[in-house]
Amino acid sequence: MEDAYARSVSDVLEFFAVDATKGLKDSQVAEHGRLYGKNVLPQEESTPFWRLVLKQFDDLLVKILIAAAIVSFFLALANGETGLTAFLEPSVILMILAANAAVGVITETNAEKALEELRAYQADVATVMRNGCFSILPAADLVPGDIVEVSVGCKVPADMRMIEMLSDQLRVDQAILTGESSSVEKELETTNVTNAVYQDKTNILFSGTVVVAGRARAVVVGVGSNTAMGSIRDSMLKTEDEATPLKKKLDEFGTFLAKVIAGICVLVWIVNIGHFRDPAHGGFLQGAIHYFKIAVALAVAAIPEGLPAVVTTCLALGTKRMARLNAIVRSLPSVETLGCTTVICSDKTGTLTTNMMSVSKICVLHSINHGPVAAEYGVTGTTYAPEGVLFDNTGTQLEIPAQFHCLLHIAMCSALCNESIIQYNPEKKSYEKIGESTEVALRVLAEKIGLPGFDTMPSALDMLTKHERASYCNHYWEDQFKKVSLLEFSRDRKMMSVLCNRKHIEIMFSKGAPESILSRCTSILCNDNGSTVPLTSDIRAEIESKFHSFAGKETLRCLALALKRMPPGQQALSFDDEKDLTFIGLVGMLDPPREEVRNAILSCMTAGIRVIVVTGDNKTTAESLCRRIGAFDHLDDFTGLSYTASEFEKLPASQKTVALQRMMLFTRVEPSHKRMLVEALQHQNEVVAMTGDGVNDAPALKKADIGIAMGSGTAVAKSASDMVLADDNFATIVAAVAEGRAIYNNTKQFIRYMISSNIGEVVCIFVAALLGIPDTLVPVQLLWVNLVTDGLPATAIGFNKQDSDVMKAKPRKVNEAVVTGWLFFRYLVIGVYVGLATVAGFVWWFLYSDNGPKLPYTELMNFDSCSTRETNYPCTVFSDRHPSTVSMTVLVVVEMFNALNNLSENQSLLVIPPWSNLWLLGSIVLTMLLHILILYVEPLSILFSVSPLSWTEWTVVLYLSFPVIIIDEILKFVSRNYNGIRFNFRFRRMDLLPKREVRDK
């Protein structure tokens, strides 16, 4: 029943054919169960393991590699190869792909836990009336139409319409659903609001929320998926995981690379059609197969097989660094996403604030000796912990607050006129509340004021255990005074009173709205000497002025406290007793902002990141918090920057677009609005981070480019997020963004390194095919270079130091290419040299090496006809392993020098020396040791078709490899000093790699 809030009690009861005094009959329960289902969130079928595995192979480059492996295997069989040689290359390729798939499967299985965590917020049992009597049943057995009774501490078991109030009021904490910082008062009256949000439905009790005050009966109107909690689940199910900006750019690069590879492979095959009939091949078909194998080798060379593994490793290293900053990363790609975040949608309650109501100001009458003088005290401490001090308006700390008469009586009243409980949870190592937040704030205030009569009171309290300290002072007053009678809070009186007895003296303590208490007071307590004086109009005006200052300018939630001496022996209270009261004082409380938030938001602004505060609270409260934070001091007002959800939805489409570009505050929202906001910002090409801690935040956290949950938040929020802030510190986000930007910069460096290396391999094979010389490298050698000798230095590049000004730059655009036009040209030049040097090493061995045959160049070009003509050298020389070993070693060493080039994009090695990244030097040393291992250890040398090199051959390798440093130094010099050339080049062709202008959402 979706519109129960808009119907009268009788209409709702009639709809379900239920008598409020008897409940449903067994037959009705069975019928409603069939109609509406069980009161449980359905078990969502998890993605089958095989489907998760297959999903990891849904990538164009991966498919090309698989195809290359299969073709390689069948070509080996066609050539009569058997055993290890036939299976080696395809096996290595498939092992790499399997390792990458394993990482992807582990990451994705974590995401499905969020839906399971949502079940924890469902109530276990409920007090239900059926067949005329109450019984306690499992909450899962509830059906629409059931009459349920709830009281303080109860978790609401289903969505229910209030039908009867059994106390003066009923208040519910629904922060996990709406994010409201204060509990909400529920009522029986019908709600007539167009497009009502959860906050407007004041006669509905929502599943999973907690009753903090009062007792009432309600009729179930929604169970299972048809509850507010169920709608959150559905919203999470509809949210598809978005690819990160880096993943999108790599996918686009992969598509571009695949087209280039296909083109080159076809070109190489076509260019050599004339050689298909060469006698060395044994026929046209065999020749076609031979050059097809070269094309396959070209594909293997062009595809950076190690790229996914290196990206994953670099991101994993970033997560370790972030963990030290208290940012726990649950999804590896989110590390990089942080670097281009442009908007942070921050939940207010529990994220910018502590979500713990606390007293921050006290006002009492100090003295009337020189006219009425009101004294104002500040209170420190922003949590439920009994830690904090009081200080006067000069900033002087009160050593023993309880020696001041008004403060002492405020502590008494706060402890006695109170129905809440505060306790220490050793597992969470924090203080927790049971009951109304404002009452808990008064309990904590009583602890901060302390007890009278002990000069050593503050230090004596510090000696208690945390469990004893939680309510020590409150228990003291409860032991001193015996509670005799209670008048509960009611909406018309706006106050509550309690009658207490101490040593045959009856005293009534009252608390409530300041206007209600003041109107019933005729006298006031003085703080300096404890005397009671008449409440004159001047004194009343001064107290009211303080109240308006607290409530207006400082937007504090105010309560007034009072007492009254009652006749001896009185055992009950009536409403008539609540008059002629003695005013004690005024307290102002708030859900305080976290201390570090101001600097964190200012840092975001400096970094070009916009912060939008999103909350379920009302507009005035949220705006006052933003002003209190101090980060929005530059704003005179919030006109055009602050919207409620209903105001925003009423805007025309064009005005919504403008509003989204300027918005800084979004209030009175429910979960669907948060998700809508994220989607709308993403449609404007913003990269959105959403912070939150409640169940209500989960859909938006899942939808955002990066969801950031608080460490103290709900399990649902954590499971739906990409990152968890262990210290709940908004400032940690700033450090995480800086780390994300640094990781992206390093990621770009090793991607460029691998691109230039792979270009070199492609050029090597292509040039060899064009020249008509033997294959310089076999596929298994290419795989070794791509995975081991490329992979280790590329990973080490991820340890390049963070730039000092990383947080002064604006966020990079989401469609910014990983490799721009000028950079692609630079690395094309480097790649061409790498390829030519590799071929040169191969040719050198045949033509000039003392260990080689010293053939004329024409003989090398006509190697394929060797068997059909007279030669003064054996034809077996062309199958010697030495020339391919020289070319492979040149390729390895030249790429080690090229890795040093990637310490910085534009800075010379003279400015950023190699030892600035010791990890890179270590990886180069390790790579060379591994290469030497396969050269000089026989089983490995046979496997990789290599042989040991002489000192002369190593010297030639170094001569051919080192110039790559000089070439790149020249290109870096041009980049640093001739920006105009780079600009003109980019202007003609901004990006040689494809890029998506409009983000697909």
Side-chain angles (χ1 to χ4, degrees):
M1 190 177 189
E2 295 182 357
D3 61 344
Y5 65 91
R7 298 198 188 189
S8 65
V9 172
S10 57
D11 284 346
V12 175
L13 293 174
E14 185 180 341
F15 180 86
F16 292 111
V18 60
D19 185 339
T21 60
K22 295 181 180 179
L24 294 175
K25 299 174 184 176
D26 290 339
S27 58
Q28 289 178 297
V29 171
E31 182 184 350
H32 288 194
R34 284 193 301 272
L35 283 174
Y36 305 108
K38 295 196 70 175
N39 185 32
V40 291
L41 293 179
Q43 179 81 39
E44 185 62 25
E45 288 186 15
S46 59
T47 307
F49 180 77
W50 62 269
R51 188 169 291 170
L52 280 176
V53 173
L54 286 180
K55 184 179 177 183
Q56 309 311 312
F57 295 94
D58 187 18
D59 180 86
L60 189 57
L61 289 182
V62 171
K63 290 173 182 175
I64 292 174
L65 271 180
I66 293 173
I70 294 171
V71 169
S72 175
F73 173 68
F74 281 110
L75 288 177
L77 292 181
N79 282 353
E81 296 177 23
T82 57
L84 184 62
T85 54
F87 288 99
L88 178 62
E89 185 182 330
S91 299
V92 173
I93 293 175
L94 292 176
M95 279 192 292
I96 299 159
L97 297 177
N100 288 331
V103 173
V105 169
I106 292 168
T107 302
E108 292 202 28
T109 50
N110 287 334
E112 296 190 351
K113 293 180 182 176
L115 295 172
E116 290 301 313
E117 300 285 2
L118 201 58
R119 296 169 177 269
Y121 293 88
Q122 291 185 292
D124 296 322
V125 296
T127 304
V128 189
M129 176 182 284
R130 285 181 181 171
N131 302 308
C133 60
F134 278 104
S135 58
I136 297 176
L137 299 175
D141 292 346
L142 287 181
V143 296
D146 266 327
I147 306 298
V148 177
E149 188 169 304
V150 294
S151 57
V152 176
C154 283
K155 187 180 287 185
V156 178
D159 280 9
M160 306 190 295
R161 169 67 160 91
M162 295 268 292
I163 60 171
E164 185 180 359
M165 196 79 74
L166 302 176
S167 59
D168 291 326
Q169 66 160 348
L170 185 84
R171 300 190 71 85
V172 176
D173 180 354
Q174 51 189 42
I176 66 163
L177 183 66
T178 62
E180 292 166 288
S181 55
S182 302
S183 61
V184 178
E185 185 176 351
K186 294 297 181 178
E187 57 190 16
L188 301 176
E189 286 76 16
T190 301
T191 301
N192 294 312
V193 178
T194 307
N195 297 324
V197 295
Y198 291 143
Q199 294 91 326
D200 297 323
K201 300 174 184 178
T202 52
N203 53 24
I204 300 291
L205 306 179
F206 295 106
S207 174
T209 59
V210 179
V211 178
V212 296
R215 184 165 153 257
R217 286 180 189 167
V219 59
V220 176
V221 294
V223 296
S225 296
N226 296 317
T227 61
M229 206 65 72
S231 67
I232 290 177
R233 170 189 168 277
D234 293 341
S235 181
M236 291 170 68
L237 282 175
K238 291 174 185 174
T239 302
E240 296 181 2
D241 293 331
E242 288 287 336
T244 69
L246 178 61
K247 178 69 167 62
K248 289 183 177 183
K249 299 316 295 181
L250 290 180
D251 287 346
E252 290 172 19
F253 173 65
T255 304
F256 169 76
L257 195 59
K259 293 174 183 176
V260 172
I261 291 167
I264 293 176
C265 289
V266 171
L267 185 62
V268 167
W269 200 67
I270 292 173
V271 164
N272 286 284
I273 286 178
H275 296 284
F276 286 4
R277 296 185 183 278
D278 288 349
H281 304 314
F284 183 87
L285 183 60
Q286 286 79 4
I289 291 174
H290 172 77
Y291 286 103
F292 190 63
K293 283 184 70 176
I294 292 177
V296 171
L298 194 62
V300 173
I303 297 172
E305 293 91 344
L307 184 57
V310 174
V311 171
T312 301
T313 305
C314 187
L315 295 179
L317 293 171
T319 64
K320 287 189 175 181
R321 289 199 291 271
M322 293 173 101
R324 290 197 289 271
L325 301 172
N326 289 313
I328 300 166
V329 176
R330 299 185 65 257
S331 169
L332 282 182
S334 64
V335 176
E336 174 274 328
T337 310
L338 272 171
C340 58
T341 298
T342 58
V343 177
I344 297 177
C345 295
S346 176
D347 184 43
K348 179 185 79 70
T349 307
T351 306
L352 299 179
T353 69
T354 63
N355 195 23
M356 297 183 188
M357 193 71 75
S358 62
V359 174
S360 63
K361 290 285 183 72
I362 299 174
C363 174
V364 297
L365 180 66
H366 181 66
S367 171
I368 61 165
N369 293 334
H370 304 287
V373 178
E376 190 176 307
Y377 296 99
V379 186
T380 65
T382 58
T383 68
Y384 292 144
E387 299 160 1
V389 298
L390 279 74
F391 54 90
D392 59 25
N393 52 11
T394 65
T396 305
Q397 182 180 330
L398 306 185
E399 293 298 329
I400 307 176
Q403 71 184 5
F404 294 89
H405 295 278
C406 286
L407 295 181
L408 176 65
H409 284 82
I410 284 174
M412 288 183 197
C413 187
S414 296
L416 297 168
C417 197
N418 202 314
E419 296 295 301
S420 68
I421 298 172
I422 186 167
Q423 58 192 16
Y424 182 73
N425 185 329
E427 292 182 2
K428 295 183 179 179
K429 296 183 179 179
S430 62
Y431 292 87
E432 296 180 339
K433 65 161 186 170
I434 298 176
E436 180 65 52
S437 296
T438 53
E439 293 198 336
V440 175
L442 292 177
R443 287 252 186 232
V444 176
L445 175 63
E447 297 297 329
K448 292 175 181 177
I449 293 173
L451 301 175
F454 302 97
D455 292 340
T456 59
M457 176 48 61
S459 57
L461 289 173
D462 291 340
M463 295 173 67
L464 299 172
T465 66
K466 292 195 173 187
H467 180 72
E468 293 170 328
R469 182 68 188 90
S471 294
Y472 185 85
C473 299
N474 281 274
H475 289 160
Y476 173 84
W477 292 119
E478 288 169 344
D479 290 341
Q480 291 290 314
F481 290 86
K482 178 186 176 184
K483 290 187 182 181
V484 178
S485 180
L486 173 70
L487 281 179
E488 288 187 340
F489 181 94
S490 65
R491 191 185 306 173
D492 54 343
R493 290 161 44 244
K494 294 184 180 178
M495 64 182 292
M496 71 170 288
S497 300
V498 60
L499 177 63
C500 299
N501 173 279
R502 185 187 185 213
K503 297 179 181 178
H504 307 294
I505 297 174
E506 271 68 37
I507 300 177
M508 181 181 73
F509 292 100
S510 300
K511 78 167 190 290
E515 61 273 18
S516 296
I517 295 291
L518 268 173
S519 65
R520 289 172 166 82
C521 290
T522 55
S523 58
I524 189 168
L525 188 68
C526 291
N527 199 36
D528 59 346
N529 56 15
S531 61
T532 299
V533 299
L535 182 58
T536 64
S537 57
D538 289 345
I539 298 174
R540 188 185 297 272
E542 183 148 354
I543 297 296
E544 287 177 347
S545 173
K546 284 291 183 183
F547 162 54
H548 292 306
S549 174
F550 281 9
K553 183 179 177 182
E554 301 185 50
T555 61
L556 300 178
R557 186 172 182 181
C558 295
L559 286 177
L561 309 177
L563 59 80
K564 179 182 180 181
R565 184 81 174 264
M566 304 300 288
Q570 183 167 335
Q571 295 296 306
L573 286 178
S574 66
F575 296 147
D576 292 336
D577 292 321
E578 292 178 326
K579 60 184 180 182
D580 300 327
L581 307 179
T582 298
F583 189 86
I584 304 173
L586 182 72
V587 296
M589 56 186 74
L590 77 160
D591 179 11
R594 297 180 183 276
E595 295 176 359
E596 65 282 347
V597 163
R598 180 180 187 274
N599 290 335
I601 292 180
L602 291 175
S603 296
C604 287
M605 291 177 177
T606 304
I609 300 170
R610 183 157 54 108
V611 178
I612 301 177
V613 179
V614 184
T615 177
D617 266 341
N618 65 60
K619 198 172 184 178
T620 305
T621 303
E623 288 180 359
S624 68
L625 171 80
C626 289
R627 290 193 175 90
R628 192 175 290 113
I629 288 172
F632 302 98
D633 289 344
H634 60 289
L635 300 175
D636 294 329
D637 62 67
F638 282 92
T639 304
L641 305 174
S642 174
Y643 296 89
T644 65
S646 57
E647 287 172 350
F648 181 77
E649 287 185 327
K650 290 176 184 175
L651 291 176
S654 58
Q655 291 184 29
K656 278 184 180 178
T657 302
V658 175
L660 282 169
Q661 293 169 350
R662 301 188 61 214
M663 183 186 292
M664 302 186 80
L665 188 58
F666 197 41
T667 54
R668 297 297 281 176
V669 300
E670 57 183 40
S672 60
H673 292 131
K674 292 186 178 184
R675 190 173 182 275
M676 174 271 293
L677 176 64
V678 171
E679 287 179 339
L681 289 167
Q682 287 174 335
H683 278 301
Q684 293 194 351
N685 278 359
E686 302 281 8
V687 179
V688 185
M690 165 64 81
T691 73
D693 61 350
V695 174
N696 59 312
D697 300 318
L701 288 174
K702 198 165 187 289
K703 178 63 181 172
D705 294 288
I706 175 163
I708 306 172
M710 299 296 118
S712 63
T714 61
V716 179
K718 291 178 189 175
S719 296
S721 67
D722 300 297
M723 191 174 86
V724 178
L725 301 184
D727 58 357
D728 283 12
N729 192 336
F730 184 85
T732 303
I733 298 174
V734 180
V737 168
E739 190 62 46
R741 290 184 174 189
I743 288 168
Y744 179 74
N745 290 340
N746 291 341
T747 303
K748 283 202 301 183
Q749 286 301 100
F750 71 68
I751 288 173
R752 290 166 187 162
Y753 165 66
M754 297 190 87
I755 288 173
S756 60
S757 299
N758 283 78
I759 289 173
E761 294 165 18
V762 170
V763 169
C764 167
I765 293 173
F766 189 66
V767 168
L770 283 178
L771 295 178
I773 62 177
D775 299 341
T776 52
L777 297 167
V778 296
V780 71
Q781 291 173 339
L782 286 171
L783 279 172
W784 172 261
V785 173
N786 280 353
L787 291 175
V788 181
T789 58
D790 281 0
L792 290 174
T795 303
I797 288 170
F799 287 94
N800 286 349
K801 291 182 178 178
Q802 185 183 116
D803 294 339
S804 57
D805 60 348
V806 72
M807 283 302 286
K808 293 179 182 175
K810 300 298 180 187
R812 73 178 192 276
K813 290 187 178 2
V814 74
N815 56 4
E816 177 188 302
V818 178
V819 181
T820 55
W822 166 246
L823 281 173
F824 188 77
F825 172 77
R826 277 175 54 180
Y827 288 95
L828 187 63
V829 171
I830 296 294
V832 168
Y833 178 78
V834 170
L836 292 176
T838 305
V839 174
F842 185 86
V843 172
W844 169 85
W845 188 87
F846 278 105
L847 272 58
Y848 305 109
S849 173
D850 292 335
N851 297 329
K854 294 190 177 180
L855 301 176
Y857 182 67
T858 53
E859 287 293 319
L860 182 61
M861 288 183 65
N862 294 307
F863 78 97
D864 48 5
S865 62
C866 177
S867 61
T868 63
R869 55 191 171 81
E870 289 281 336
T871 60
N872 57 0
Y873 58 87
C875 292
T876 54
V877 72
F878 295 114
S879 58
D880 195 303
R881 290 183 297 173
H882 267 86
S884 64
T885 304
V886 171
S887 60
M888 179 185 179
T889 305
V890 169
L891 183 59
V892 170
V893 175
V894 77
E895 290 183 3
M896 295 306 100
F897 284 124
N898 191 28
L900 294 176
N901 289 333
N902 284 277
L903 281 167
S904 172
E905 184 176 311
N906 293 315
Q907 289 299 322
S908 168
L909 282 173
L910 299 175
V911 176
I912 301 179
W915 50 87
S916 65
N917 186 343
L918 294 177
W919 287 99
L920 181 57
L921 288 182
S923 71
I924 291 173
V925 171
L926 179 58
T927 298
M928 291 309 302
L929 288 174
L930 289 171
H931 185 67
I932 290 169
L933 188 69
I934 69 167
L935 293 186
Y936 294 96
V937 176
E938 188 157 312
L940 292 174
S941 62
I942 295 171
L943 189 65
F944 288 97
S945 299
V946 293
S947 58
L949 296 181
S950 66
W951 177 248
T952 303
E953 289 166 336
W954 273 108
T955 304
V956 171
V957 165
L958 289 172
Y959 276 135
L960 289 171
S961 303
F962 185 76
V964 77
I965 294 276
I966 299 170
I967 294 171
D968 200 55
E969 285 293 311
I970 295 170
L971 291 169
K972 285 180 177 179
F973 178 81
V974 172
S975 290
R976 291 194 304 270
N977 296 286
Y978 296 96
N979 290 326
I981 293 175
R982 179 171 60 171
F983 175 81
N984 290 333
F985 180 85
R986 292 177 65 188
F987 180 77
R988 291 195 303 272
R989 176 75 174 175
M990 284 200 67
D991 194 351
L992 292 180
L993 302 184
K995 65 182 182 180
R996 188 175 304 153
E997 294 298 335
V998 180
R999 188 186 179 108
D1000 295 329
K1001 285 290 176 186

